[in-house]
Amino acid sequence: MSASDDDLDLARVLDALNDADCRAFLDALEEPMTANELSEACDVPLSTTYRKLELLTDATLVDEETEVRSDGRHRSRYRAAFDSLEVAFDDDHDLDLDVERPARGPSERLADIWAEVQKET
């Protein structure tokens, strides 16, 4: 994705990467974690954690997945939504963003669908 394709996404990514708490969350997300787990692992207040997770989600650097539990008390887990990210200048000296995304399996695609259904209700 280059800046000419979508300046807003590039700006959101750069804003998120410029935030120390967001970078700490990305570093901690070796496996999916809840907001509470991230808050504790990174020593960030829970209210701040939710704001930073929204920033990361809007920047498409973190995906929110819903963990469906048998007791009906579903919870969100967050995972890094990229394998690598590179920001560079291209041959025309335009800022270019290259994001390598992990392959999405059936369970992750189902989680995406469930998350969209929840947004609609």
Side-chain angles (χ1 to χ4, degrees):
M1 163 190 328
S2 69
S4 60
D5 292 335
D6 197 345
D7 289 333
L8 184 59
D9 286 347
L10 178 62
R12 285 181 179 176
V13 169
L14 294 177
D15 284 346
L17 293 176
N18 190 43
D19 185 286
D21 291 334
C22 288
R23 290 192 309 271
F25 292 161
L26 291 173
D27 188 45
L29 283 172
E30 293 179 16
E31 60 185 46
M33 298 174 76
T34 65
N36 285 334
E37 292 168 339
L38 277 168
S39 175
E40 290 176 18
C42 298
D43 196 28
V44 174
L46 190 57
S47 60
T48 301
T49 298
Y50 281 110
R51 284 196 312 274
K52 303 298 180 161
L53 285 169
E54 184 176 349
L55 179 63
L56 287 164
T57 301
D58 289 347
T60 68
L61 297 176
V62 167
D63 284 334
E64 180 180 2
E65 302 171 342
T66 301
E67 180 181 325
V68 179
R69 297 170 35 175
S70 60
D71 64 4
R73 299 178 59 204
H74 310 312
R75 66 179 175 182
S76 293
R77 287 193 163 291
Y78 300 88
R79 68 172 186 82
F82 65 95
D83 289 330
S84 68
L85 183 140
E86 181 179 322
V87 179
F89 286 102
D90 64 15
D91 293 338
D92 296 325
H93 300 284
D94 292 324
L95 203 53
D96 186 60
L97 175 64
D98 184 27
V99 180
E100 185 178 320
R101 305 278 182 194
R104 307 277 292 160
S107 62
E108 289 138 343
R109 290 192 303 270
L110 181 59
D112 290 342
I113 293 168
W114 178 251
E116 288 302 316
V117 167
Q118 283 187 313
K119 288 178 188 175
E120 297 293 322
T121 58

